[in-house]
Amino acid sequence: EVQLVESGGGLVKPGGSLRLSCAASGFTFSSHSINWVRQAPGKGLEWVSSISSSSSYIYYADSVKGRFTISRDNAKNSVSLQMNSLRAEDTAVYYCARRGRDGSKKFDYWGQGTLVTVSS
Amino acid sequence: AIQLTQSPSSLSASVGDRVTITCRASQGISSALAWYQQRPGKAPRLLIYDASSLEGGVPSRLSGSGSGTDFTLTISSLQPEDFATYYCQQFNSYPFTFGGGTKVEIK
């Protein structure tokens, strides 16, 4: 069974840092791109970042570029999102999502999400 | 960045109704579009990819169509479990933007 489990969320002050993790199981992790998608309270979905299967290609939304860093460890089946210089508008549930095999145009599995709250 | 505009933003319908949600892209994206369903407090669930391909396990009363800039998600006969929020997402180019969502409520 494919599983994605996020962790690391919590309350942080503006300007602070947080590191999210996404632990994967039940599939060949090194064959899939992994993405982070967030959802502010009561709002819609926002794509945040993507890392390819071998970490060769990394992309960020303009809203987080220069502040967030995505990385992965294929030996540990995990992806991390290092979030620095956090702002109130980064408050959201953060989901990790698997892109379908061979770059298929879908996020076919999602984690349950982890809540990040940026507040003083 | 490619913008996706969903309409309507919300709708009220009854069980058994036919429901259509549209998603319009700010530029052509071929068929690089997916649809998701999200229930309150839950993660999104993939329904449709490549604009019209049904994901495994998704009921056949759901269907997707379109290409280029105009896309639709249709539910042929609304069931109680279909009351949720629906999002489209484009995969033509980064950033992989989402539409604003359509909330389907019970009339």
Side-chain angles (χ1 to χ4, degrees):
Chain A
E1 179 193 6
V2 172
Q3 282 198 316
L4 297 167
V5 179
E6 302 93 339
S7 61
L11 175 63
V12 61
K13 289 181 169 55
S17 298
L18 212 55
R19 187 177 183 88
L20 304 184
S21 295
C22 172
S25 61
F27 65 100
T28 304
F29 181 73
S30 59
S31 295
H32 292 265
S33 161
I34 301 295
N35 295 259
W36 288 95
V37 175
R38 68 185 181 183
Q39 186 169 37
K43 302 297 184 183
L45 301 171
E46 179 188 15
W47 173 83
V48 172
S49 183
S50 172
I51 186 166
S52 64
S53 57
S54 60
S55 304
S56 297
Y57 301 97
I58 289 175
Y59 302 92
Y60 298 99
D62 285 347
S63 57
V64 307
K65 201 173 294 183
R67 300 187 299 122
F68 289 13
T69 302
I70 192 171
S71 61
R72 68 188 291 161
D73 185 338
N74 284 349
K76 295 183 178 179
N77 287 3
S78 69
V79 171
S80 295
L81 186 69
Q82 176 66 40
M83 305 187 297
N84 298 330
S85 303
L86 282 162
R87 306 166 180 166
E89 54 265 36
D90 295 318
T91 294
V93 173
Y94 284 74
Y95 296 100
C96 63
R98 186 187 88 164
R99 186 170 179 179
R101 195 178 172 85
D102 297 327
S104 57
K105 298 175 181 62
K106 57 182 178 179
F107 290 172
D108 56 359
Y109 286 92
W110 297 63
Q112 83 290 349
T114 187
L115 176 63
V116 172
T117 303
V118 184
S119 175
S120 54
Chain B
I2 296 172
Q3 295 181 1
L4 296 180
T5 302
Q6 282 185 239
S7 61
S9 56
S10 65
L11 65 92
S12 295
S14 301
V15 172
D17 284 352
R18 181 182 181 89
V19 167
T20 298
I21 298 168
T22 66
C23 178
R24 175 163 290 175
S26 59
Q27 64 188 74
I29 60 171
S30 186
S31 61
L33 190 97
W35 289 96
Y36 303 88
Q37 175 194 66
Q38 187 179 35
R39 297 190 177 107
K42 299 295 187 183
R45 172 198 179 196
L46 174 67
L47 302 174
I48 303 280
Y49 63 98
D50 290 344
S52 60
S53 296
L54 199 66
E55 179 70 357
V58 174
S60 58
R61 63 180 180 274
L62 279 80
S63 63
S65 64
S67 67
T69 59
D70 294 313
F71 302 86
T72 60
L73 173 70
T74 299
I75 307 174
S76 60
S77 178
L78 204 63
Q79 298 301 301
E81 59 268 32
D82 299 331
F83 292 96
T85 300
Y86 295 82
Y87 294 93
C88 56
Q89 181 191 20
Q90 65 82 18
F91 284 85
N92 183 76
S93 61
Y94 285 100
F96 287 162
T97 43
F98 289 88
T102 296
K103 187 174 184 179
V104 177
E105 298 175 301
I106 301 172
K107 182 183 284 184

